[in-house]
Amino acid sequence: MGGKKSKSAVDDDTTQSGRKSAAQDENLPTVERIRKHTTTHFGYKVLSLARRGLTDAPEELWEITELQKVNLSLNALRSVPPSLGSLQNLVVLNLWGNQLTSLPPEIGRLRNLKVLFAYRNRLNDVPEELGSCTKLEVLSLASNQLTSLPASLSSLAGLKKLNLSHNLIAHIPGCVYSMKSLVFLQLACNRLENIADQIQALADLKILIVEGNCIHSLPKMLCRLTKLELLNVDFNDIQSVPEEMHRLRRLEKLACHPLDKGLHIRHNPLLKPIKEVLDGGLQALYSYLKTT
C-alpha cells in the first residue's frame, strides 16, 4: 500500500525539482531566461530589474519587444543603448535612481510611451527626440543637472504632470508654456528669478510648486489660473503679491504642510501691510486685495 512520504523525502523531491528547474533555466537562451521574469499586471507585460546592481542593462532585454512596462530603477546604469528604441510597445519606462548622464535619441521611437521616470540621475540635457513621444502624460526629470529643455518638447500637448525640481533651471523653459494639458508643474529648488506672463497659457494647472527659488515677484497673469488649488512659493524673495490674487478662489487657506492645498507663502520677505494682513488668514488677504 502506498503510504505518505516522509518530510525528508518531500524535501528531497523539492530540492531535486529546484535543481532541475535551475538546470533547465541554464539551458535556455539568455533572452528566454529574462523573458521568464516578465509578469502580466493589469493587462500589461511587465519586467522589473530594479535594485540589481546593474551597470549595464542586459543586451537581450531590448529583444523582448512585447514589453509594455520596464523598471530599471535603483541600479548603477551610466547609459541606455540605442536599442531602447526597439521597445516600441513601452507605456512606462522607469529609469530613476541611476547614474545616467544622457538619454539616447532613439527614445523618440517610443511613440506609445505615457510615463517616463528619469529623476535622480546626472542628466545634463534631454534629447530633442523626446518631443516625438507625443502620448507622454507624466514626465519626471527631477534631481538632475538640467538648465533647460529642448523646444521640441512643445509637442507634448497631452502632458499632465511635469516634475523639474532640484535642477539648475534659471528660467521656466519656453516649451512648458505649450503644454496646455498640465495640471501639475513642479519646479522647486532651481534658480528661478521670475515667472513669465506666458504662465497664463496653462489654464488647467491645479498645482504649481516653485518653492526654494529666487523669485522676486508674482506676475499678474498668474492670477488667471483660476483652477489652482495649490500654489507653493515658500522660500523665495517675494515682497508683495498682485492685487488680482483674490481671483484664485480655489486656494482656500494658508497652507503649512507640504501636501496641503492652498497658498504656501512662508519664508518670504513680505512687506507691510501684506505681512500683517496675512496674519488674519487667506480670506483676510483676499478682502484686503479687493479693496485696494
Side-chain angles (χ1 to χ4, degrees):
M1 294 177 65
K4 292 184 179 179
K5 286 188 178 182
S6 68
K7 182 177 185 300
S8 60
V10 171
D11 288 346
D12 286 344
D13 286 351
T14 302
T15 301
Q16 290 176 9
S17 175
R19 287 174 182 164
K20 185 182 296 184
S21 176
Q24 289 173 345
D25 277 0
E26 289 301 317
N27 292 328
L28 288 171
T30 307
V31 66
E32 292 303 325
R33 291 207 299 272
I34 295 175
R35 185 174 270 119
K36 285 189 69 175
H37 291 282
T38 63
T39 60
T40 300
H41 189 63
F42 291 107
Y44 291 98
K45 294 288 185 180
V46 181
L47 174 65
S48 178
L49 294 176
R51 298 177 183 269
R52 299 295 182 95
L54 299 174
T55 54
D56 294 290
E59 292 182 11
E60 295 81 6
L61 165 62
W62 317 114
E63 297 179 36
I64 309 176
T65 56
E66 67 270 22
L67 287 173
Q68 294 169 291
K69 295 185 178 183
V70 170
N71 187 350
L72 287 165
S73 64
L74 293 166
N75 281 293
L77 302 179
R78 295 182 182 275
S79 64
V80 178
S83 313
L84 169 66
S86 65
L87 301 185
Q88 295 187 24
N89 289 305
L90 270 191
V91 176
V92 177
L93 176 58
N94 195 336
L95 297 171
W96 79 270
N98 281 283
Q99 299 175 26
L100 301 174
T101 56
S102 64
L103 297 172
E106 288 77 11
I107 197 169
R109 296 176 58 195
L110 307 182
R111 302 298 174 86
N112 291 302
L113 196 64
K114 291 186 177 180
V115 178
L116 173 59
F117 294 130
Y119 57 95
R120 275 185 53 190
N121 278 283
R122 300 176 181 176
L123 299 177
N124 296 307
D125 55 30
V126 175
E128 291 185 5
E129 289 80 2
L130 185 61
S132 297
C133 299
T134 54
K135 291 186 179 180
L136 267 178
E137 296 179 2
V138 178
L139 175 59
S140 180
L141 298 167
S143 298
N144 281 287
Q145 298 169 21
L146 301 174
T147 57
S148 191
L149 295 178
S152 61
L153 268 58
S154 296
S155 62
L156 303 184
L159 197 67
K160 291 181 172 60
K161 296 183 179 182
L162 175 61
N163 191 338
L164 296 171
S165 64
H166 295 86
N167 276 287
L168 307 173
I169 298 170
H171 303 283
I172 297 178
C175 62
V176 171
Y177 300 120
S178 297
M179 299 172 180
K180 303 293 179 63
S181 297
L182 281 181
V183 296
F184 175 97
L185 178 57
Q186 162 68 289
L187 282 154
C189 301
N190 275 280
R191 298 178 177 179
L192 300 178
E193 293 189 7
N194 59 67
I195 299 174
D197 285 343
Q198 292 100 303
I199 194 72
Q200 66 176 312
L202 304 181
D204 288 334
L205 206 58
K206 293 183 178 180
I207 297 176
L208 175 59
I209 303 173
V210 290
E211 68 173 316
N213 282 281
C214 306
I215 297 170
H216 304 302
S217 63
L218 299 176
K220 292 181 179 180
M221 295 303 178
L222 177 67
C223 302
R224 295 191 177 185
L225 304 183
T226 54
K227 293 183 181 180
L228 275 179
E229 298 175 0
L230 189 159
L231 173 60
N232 190 333
V233 296
D234 285 345
F235 296 96
N236 275 282
D237 191 34
I238 297 167
Q239 297 185 9
S240 187
V241 296
E243 295 177 4
E244 294 80 1
M245 183 167 275
H246 64 83
R247 297 176 183 171
L248 302 179
R249 303 305 300 181
R250 295 194 185 185
L251 299 180
E252 297 179 350
K253 64 178 181 178
L254 287 179
C256 296
H257 190 281
L259 298 180
D260 281 350
K261 292 182 178 180
L263 174 64
H264 299 249
I265 197 168
R266 296 177 304 146
H267 303 289
N268 280 281
L270 293 167
L271 299 176
K272 297 180 180 180
I274 297 297
K275 185 175 181 179
E276 284 77 3
V277 171
L278 274 170
D279 289 339
L282 191 57
Q283 296 308 316
L285 174 64
Y286 285 170
S287 296
Y288 169 79
L289 293 173
K290 282 192 286 188
T291 59
T292 55

